[in-house]
Amino acid sequence: MRTALLVSALALTAGSAFAQTANPAVLTPERVFSNPGLNGPVAQGVSLSPDGELVAFLRAREDDVSVLDLWAAPTGAGEPFKLIDARALVPDAGELSEAEKARRERMRISQRGVVEYSWDQQGRYILAPLEGDIFLASREGGAVRRLTETEADEIDAKVSPEGNFVSFVRDQDLVVLELASGRERPVTTDGEGLITWATAEFIAQEEMDRDTGYWWSPNERFIALQRTDESTVDIVPRLDISGGGASVVEQRYPRAGRPNAVVELYVQDVAAGRRVKVDLGTNPDIYLARVNWSADGGTLYVQRQSRDQKTLDLLRVDPATGSSRVIATQTSDAWVELTDDFEALKDGRFIWSDESTGWRHLYLYGADGRKIRAITEGDYPTKGLNGINEATGEVFFTASMRDGVETPLEQQLFRASLNETIAPVAVTPAGGWWSASMNRTGTAFVGNYTDPVTPPQSGLYQADGQFVRWIEQNALDADHPFQPFVSRRPVTEYGTLESQGETLVWQMSRPVDFDPSKVYPVVMQVYGGPSGGGVKRAWLPATTQLLTEAGYLVFRLDNRGEGYRSAAFKQALHLKMGQPEIEDQVLGANYLRSLPYVDDSRIAMMGWSYGGFMSLMALTEPDMGLASAIVGAPPTEWSLYDTHYTERFMSTPQGNVDGYAASDAIPRLDDLTGRMLLMHGMADDNVILENATRVIDALQAKSIPFELMLYPGQRHGVRGNERQLHQWRTYLDFLDRTIGSRAPSQD
């Protein structure tokens, strides 16, 4: 009832952003969170077949953007076609298992239908898990075969490299299905309770960007698989509150300074049925970071990270015996970052990246682990190894640089050489943001591009950058769903600020009718924590336009610690999260106040997760002088958060008492400079609700007014058009009352 009254009141408010529905050119929350999606037909999860002749991708349905279908397009002549229609195969999607819900939450998958897929090495099949069961699409003829139909979910399904088997995890055990006969064979049988096989543990999924717990060898002889024992992990009772009631989940949650799960690695000989344990060393308190096979399947490479994350060892493992030896090591006084930049070559050499020069670069190693030469070098970081053409010696990578100098606002695909250290050659044009997915031979790639006036588009390109064909052109033409709102697209400018010898980048979006002779309120959007950064020359989310339509300037600054930049830039927050980031945001706020068209008494901040932490810290920082802040799902005391993330940046609570105390929000609450809206999902299993309730309790104990919005059944993000619409209506209402047209007069 209160929601209905709120919406009615807001609809009658003069100047409200979503009251202006009569003008079709004005973007409203109702249109943003409805079908079809405003970004247009954006291809997701695009990949080339191993032979480069077919492109597969996921596309949201026009009648329901929350459901994905699997599409394919020939790289030559021919139009894209739907390969798997999710609704046709599974008309009534049931409830996913708790394990699959948690896995998708860790992978930030919020849609249903075909949310992932995989090729075999020959490109004959595409395997697609769909609503807990598995379907196999044959490239020849396009027939779709259902492989499982069980009450239990089959998760992390894969086609074996040569296409003879399909593997998956069911009820905590690994199962292999022979495609020729349809016969299932369990690889493990004792997965139950706190023992799980072949599944990445919580920490690996959430913080290490490792979503799988098993790896086929290229020749299909072996499967490397992890065994996880969670009995050592603390139980953190968590209320899972939904609209229909509440249940207590005894979640195994490894908090900073507390024990992790015990992870072991084994190698299964598929044909012989034998399993050996891999020697990961005498210290069990380590992280299984990455697992890779050599090109011939004769060697297993394992990256082992120390608990304090200051050492990363590369182990060479004999898969027949499990014996191992360390062949290369990376170290840091702060932390060694994990990447997916390892690639084994056919001749036994391999490529691996490190930050030994202060910038992440690619290096060529011999089979013995000896570093041979730098593949890239300069004052910029490589941001991803995209592909290798061993026949030509070409190495492809993404980076944000021009002429060897870092350019954080842009990203391109570049070409270097295996045979010598050369100046990289740009494969894609400068000016916007490129990502790329190459085929296995390094002869072609799918390029995804966007810039401030170009919505995300995908095309097929030859390795030299020559355009072949569109996969999703997503042209902003008369039929594009965003076309009615293009004329009111906010104008965005970019700039820099200097902080402690580092250059920070920022962007500001203005209302289309901006008048520099007037003064405007500002919404500072923030994430602020370790991430890829938010400031880039790319298509703006439609929600930014909601803010400019409501009359706000929208400002975003990437502070130190944020963005894949130099080691020094990222490590500025080592042992002191919430300090240098806030110093930089104060710098941003002071810059805003220097502008004649900014109303310095009406500046707000909004952020979610680490951004929620930043908003709370900023609202309690007198030098920021915020009028209000939206604090979404914030970590409010870092000892409540998990081991791998927190200890990487802050060490343990026992080892960094002062740093943890300085980042605790509770002692700062007396310094609130403005109004706060606190929001949190009531089933959050990542930043658990205790982070919010301790702030709620402290504010009530101090009799400090604040506003609160909780979301029953929602985890770390608010999902679905209806709830996101409610979320943004709440945002806009709060901002309007605190810094907008309904804010109290500042005179």
Side-chain angles (χ1 to χ4, degrees):
M1 179 64 71
R2 285 189 61 195
T3 299
L5 290 173
L6 172 65
V7 172
S8 297
L10 288 171
L12 294 172
T13 301
S16 171
F18 47 93
Q20 304 175 52
T21 54
N23 184 352
V26 173
L27 187 62
T28 66
E30 289 80 3
R31 179 59 193 91
V32 171
F33 300 106
S34 62
N35 301 311
L38 284 174
N39 281 340
V42 177
Q44 303 178 44
V46 185
S47 69
L48 277 162
S49 62
D51 60 9
E53 294 182 359
L54 196 70
V55 180
F57 58 96
L58 304 175
R59 179 193 283 176
R61 299 177 67 92
E62 288 193 6
D63 61 344
D64 188 347
V65 294
S66 68
V67 177
L68 297 174
D69 295 322
L70 179 63
W71 286 68
T75 56
E79 293 301 311
F81 57 93
K82 189 180 294 186
L83 195 59
I84 293 182
D85 185 320
R87 285 269 176 81
L89 291 177
V90 184
D92 300 312
E95 189 76 8
L96 294 171
S97 68
E98 183 60 30
E100 179 64 357
K101 286 180 184 178
R103 180 172 177 267
R104 293 190 183 193
E105 181 70 18
R106 304 285 79 78
M107 297 172 71
R108 305 298 187 259
I109 295 173
S110 60
Q111 293 165 295
R112 297 291 296 261
V114 184
V115 297
E116 56 183 327
Y117 66 93
S118 60
W119 294 92
D120 68 317
Q121 276 187 358
Q122 283 68 43
R124 294 179 297 171
Y125 304 112
I126 298 179
L127 185 73
L130 177 58
E131 307 300 354
D133 287 313
I134 304 171
F135 295 81
L136 188 73
S138 175
R139 177 172 162 182
E140 185 175 348
V144 178
R145 172 183 169 192
R146 186 170 193 152
L147 299 181
T148 64
E149 192 168 4
T150 62
E151 290 188 10
D153 283 349
E154 286 80 30
I155 66 175
D156 197 12
K158 303 175 185 178
V159 186
S160 63
E162 296 183 355
N164 293 311
F165 305 96
V166 164
S167 52
F168 50 85
V169 178
R170 179 196 290 148
D171 292 331
Q172 301 176 217
D173 280 308
L174 182 63
V175 178
V176 169
L177 182 151
E178 186 177 46
L179 282 176
S181 65
R183 182 172 62 92
E184 289 187 4
R185 182 177 15 154
V187 175
T188 64
T189 57
D190 61 334
E192 61 178 349
L194 299 176
I195 304 298
T196 302
W197 284 96
T199 301
E201 74 278 22
F202 172 91
I203 284 295
Q205 293 180 30
E206 180 61 39
E207 309 299 359
M208 297 165 61
D209 199 24
R210 178 168 68 78
D211 300 317
T212 189
Y214 72 100
W215 303 264
W216 281 93
S217 66
N219 56 13
E220 293 189 348
R221 177 182 173 184
F222 299 112
I223 302 176
L225 67 163
Q226 80 173 71
R227 179 183 185 270
T228 304
D229 180 354
E230 288 193 296
S231 63
T232 55
V233 181
D234 293 340
I235 295 175
V236 178
R238 173 175 62 82
L239 273 176
D240 194 323
I241 304 172
S242 69
S247 60
V248 177
V249 177
E250 294 193 340
Q251 183 174 345
R252 296 279 173 168
Y253 191 99
R255 284 177 165 168
R258 299 295 300 157
N260 276 319
V262 176
V263 175
E264 299 171 330
L265 185 66
Y266 291 80
V267 177
Q268 180 85 14
D269 188 317
V270 177
R274 292 190 301 268
R275 186 184 313 147
V276 298
K277 185 178 180 180
V278 172
D279 180 7
L280 295 179
T282 58
N283 182 4
D285 194 15
I286 52 93
Y287 293 107
L288 178 65
R290 296 289 186 269
V291 178
N292 298 89
W293 284 96
S294 63
D296 63 2
T299 299
L300 184 68
Y301 294 102
V302 177
Q303 294 181 43
R304 177 186 66 193
Q305 189 179 47
S306 61
R307 172 68 185 258
D308 66 8
Q309 300 182 58
K310 295 181 179 181
T311 303
L312 182 64
D313 293 319
L314 180 65
L315 280 62
R316 185 183 178 99
V317 178
D318 180 349
T321 66
S323 62
S324 68
R325 62 186 179 92
V326 177
I327 61 171
T329 298
Q330 299 179 22
T331 60
S332 170
D333 292 336
W335 68 83
V336 180
E337 204 162 273
L338 302 180
T339 73
D340 292 315
D341 291 341
F342 182 91
E343 186 69 31
L345 305 176
K346 293 177 182 177
D347 61 7
R349 298 179 299 172
F350 59 88
I351 294 174
W352 202 23
S353 72
D354 68 46
E355 291 183 308
S356 55
T357 66
W359 300 91
R360 179 161 299 282
H361 283 294
L362 302 171
Y363 297 90
L364 178 66
Y365 286 78
D368 59 359
R370 179 178 57 89
K371 187 180 285 187
I372 298 173
R373 75 171 63 87
I375 295 172
T376 63
E377 59 183 7
D379 292 344
Y380 67 91
T382 58
K383 298 170 75 172
L385 175 61
N386 294 83
I388 303 167
N389 186 326
E390 295 192 55
T392 62
E394 294 171 305
V395 179
F396 299 89
F397 66 95
T398 46
S400 295
M401 67 96 166
R402 288 196 196 184
D403 301 321
V405 179
E406 183 188 34
T407 56
L409 296 177
E410 303 173 2
Q411 182 169 287
Q412 293 172 258
L413 180 69
F414 292 88
R415 180 176 70 250
S417 174
L418 272 177
N419 304 318
E420 57 181 329
T421 305
I422 63 171
V425 177
V427 176
T428 57
W433 198 268
W434 286 88
S435 61
S437 173
M438 298 202 79
N439 62 348
R440 292 180 60 231
T441 56
T443 57
F445 68 92
V446 172
N448 306 297
Y449 176 76
T450 180
D451 63 36
V453 296
T454 307
Q457 54 184 205
S458 301
L460 177 66
Y461 300 81
Q462 294 181 5
D464 62 1
Q466 183 176 334
F467 177 79
V468 177
R469 65 161 296 162
W470 288 115
I471 297 166
E472 288 284 16
Q473 184 178 6
N474 199 12
L476 197 54
D477 55 22
D479 296 326
H480 195 281
F482 191 75
Q483 184 58 43
F485 314 103
V486 168
S487 63
R488 297 187 63 83
R489 188 77 172 156
V491 176
T492 300
E493 67 168 316
Y494 300 84
T496 61
L497 296 172
E498 297 300 316
S499 175
Q500 304 296 317
E502 298 284 3
T503 299
L504 314 179
V505 293
W506 58 260
Q507 67 185 47
M508 184 188 296
S509 300
R510 300 188 179 107
V512 69
D513 54 358
F514 172 75
D515 181 350
S517 68
K518 298 180 179 179
V519 291
Y520 292 83
V522 181
V523 176
M524 298 178 69
Q525 293 187 320
V526 67
Y527 182 75
S531 69
V535 179
K536 58 187 66 172
R537 295 191 191 279
W539 183 251
L540 291 173
T543 49
T544 299
Q545 190 161 337
L546 290 182
L547 294 171
T548 58
E549 291 285 19
Y552 304 115
L553 301 177
V554 183
F555 183 81
R556 182 155 192 161
L557 171 76
D558 282 355
N559 50 246
R560 283 171 293 159
E562 187 174 13
Y564 297 132
R565 301 183 61 180
S566 71
F569 191 91
K570 293 181 292 185
Q571 293 170 8
L573 51 68
H574 186 226
L575 302 180
K576 49 185 178 182
M577 289 199 300
Q579 298 177 54
E581 310 100 291
I582 294 298
E583 291 172 11
D584 290 348
Q585 294 298 329
V586 168
L587 185 68
N590 288 338
Y591 168 72
L592 289 170
R593 290 189 172 95
S594 74
L595 301 174
Y597 48 80
V598 167
D599 185 338
D600 60 9
S601 67
R602 293 193 294 160
I603 299 178
M605 182 175 280
M606 63 186 299
W608 198 272
S609 194
Y610 201 106
F613 166 71
M614 288 288 291
S615 289
L616 181 53
M617 296 294 280
L619 190 62
T620 56
E621 172 53 60
D623 289 344
M624 282 292 300
L626 294 179
S628 64
I630 296 170
V631 178
T636 63
E637 207 281 302
W638 284 106
S639 66
L640 298 177
Y641 201 57
D642 67 50
T643 53
H644 193 272
Y645 185 92
T646 310
E647 293 173 14
R648 183 188 327 158
F649 311 116
M650 292 286 282
S651 183
T652 62
Q654 302 85 355
N656 182 19
V657 174
D658 290 344
Y660 276 78
S663 63
D664 187 349
I666 299 300
R668 302 169 59 96
L669 294 178
D670 286 328
D671 294 325
L672 284 169
T673 62
R675 300 287 297 186
M676 179 174 68
L677 169 61
L678 178 62
M679 309 178 88
H680 214 116
M682 300 184 79
D684 197 331
D685 61 350
N686 180 10
V687 179
I688 61 175
L689 188 58
E690 181 183 346
N691 283 273
T693 56
R694 64 192 298 269
V695 173
I696 295 168
D697 179 65
L699 288 170
Q700 291 173 346
K702 294 174 180 290
S703 301
I704 298 175
F706 67 101
E707 299 184 33
L708 178 67
M709 182 57 66
L710 299 176
Y711 284 92
Q714 299 300 294
R715 300 203 178 197
H716 193 48
V718 176
R719 313 295 191 192
N721 275 340
E722 294 80 6
R723 283 184 172 82
Q724 286 182 305
L725 173 58
H726 177 273
Q727 181 183 26
W728 271 88
R729 282 174 166 168
T730 305
Y731 284 165
L732 291 166
D733 171 59
F734 176 77
L735 291 170
D736 196 18
R737 289 185 289 104
T738 57
I739 65 168
S741 61
R742 291 188 291 151
S745 173
Q746 302 296 325
D747 297 333

